[in-house]
Amino acid sequence: MQNKVSLKLRELADSGRKGIAWLIDPDDIHSPIQFEEQVREAVELKIDFFFLGGSLIQQNTIGDIIKFIRSITEDIPTVIFPGNSLQFSPLADAILFLSLISGRNPDLLIGQHVSIAPILDKSKVEVLPTGYMLVDGGQTTSVHYISQTIPLPNHHPELAVATALAGYFLGLQYFYLDAGSGAPNPVSPELIKAVKKKIKSPLMVGGGLNSKEKIQTAFASGADLVVLGNGAGKNLQLVREAASILETFRVFSN
């Protein structure tokens, strides 16, 4: 089914079930054996998506990683989370077509999109128009540096709401709040709540979610999908804890 990723994201948002995505940066894979063990455990934990991408990828092995994941499971969709237009593979189930609406860098608002649009048009990859919003997580992260943009302040939810509304009125259908990989502070619960209250579209939240308590807070504040990156790659215990939290939401949503 070509629209299976969008349908799943909307089902999460409409039902209140919540979901987990593991964001895999290809440059962080140093041991194929360890990576295989992690993928197999993630499958057993029934995560919802594998996201693939990063701010700076020195070797584009996304296609090979997708093939590897598919050799283990075809049930969990692979979604490209691109740092630029070069991070693409026609083997993916979907791509987050990210427009960095929190910044004023025209290349990341529309420039990169123009260069890859003809390729996407010829592929069978599902395109998810996504408003990408960087939020200040307490330090400059790689995504802030690469994007050359100033993140939204974490303590001013009204600015995030205005930004999300602008993206919504422009026709964006999904929204991603990101404090950046390895951020000491995740997106604040007040900001998540404020955006979710105004925008009923599926809401993804990532960056700085390195503990069970922070993941629980993100879910409770309105995140439909939490995206675990650095922490999950170093320690899948974080994914196990997130999966245990999900069971609570799934019980109450049934």
Side-chain angles (χ1 to χ4, degrees), residues 3-4 14 45 60 71 73 95 99 121 130-131 140 159 191 207 217:
N3 296 325
K4 65 180 180 180
D14 294 342
L45 290 169
N60 190 355
S71 72
T73 178
I95 181 171
S99 184
D121 185 51
T130 304
T140 300
L159 292 177
L191 194 152
T217 298

Side-chain angles (χ1 to χ4, degrees), residues 108-119:
L108 298 178
L109 278 167
I110 187 63
Q112 294 280 333
H113 312 68
V114 172
S115 63
I116 197 174
I119 298 173

Side-chain angles (χ1 to χ4, degrees), residues 40-68:
R40 290 189 182 280
E41 182 163 3
V43 171
E44 291 178 5
L45 290 169
K46 299 180 181 179
I47 69 169
D48 296 273
F49 304 102
F50 288 106
F51 281 9
L52 301 165
S55 299
L56 177 65
I57 293 183
Q58 300 180 54
Q59 298 184 59
N60 190 355
T61 56
I62 288 177
D64 293 331
I65 295 172
I66 292 173
K67 289 179 184 177
F68 179 74

Side-chain angles (χ1 to χ4, degrees), residues 22 24 29 31-47 49-52 64-74 76 78 232-233 236 239:
W22 174 21
I24 300 169
I29 300 174
S31 168
I33 295 176
Q34 181 185 31
F35 181 61
E36 178 178 356
E37 293 174 350
Q38 291 176 321
V39 171
R40 290 189 182 280
E41 182 163 3
V43 171
E44 291 178 5
L45 290 169
K46 299 180 181 179
I47 69 169
F49 304 102
F50 288 106
F51 281 9
L52 301 165
D64 293 331
I65 295 172
I66 292 173
K67 289 179 184 177
F68 179 74
I69 292 174
R70 291 258 176 84
S71 72
I72 296 174
T73 178
E74 295 188 357
I76 300 176
T78 55
L236 269 189
V239 180

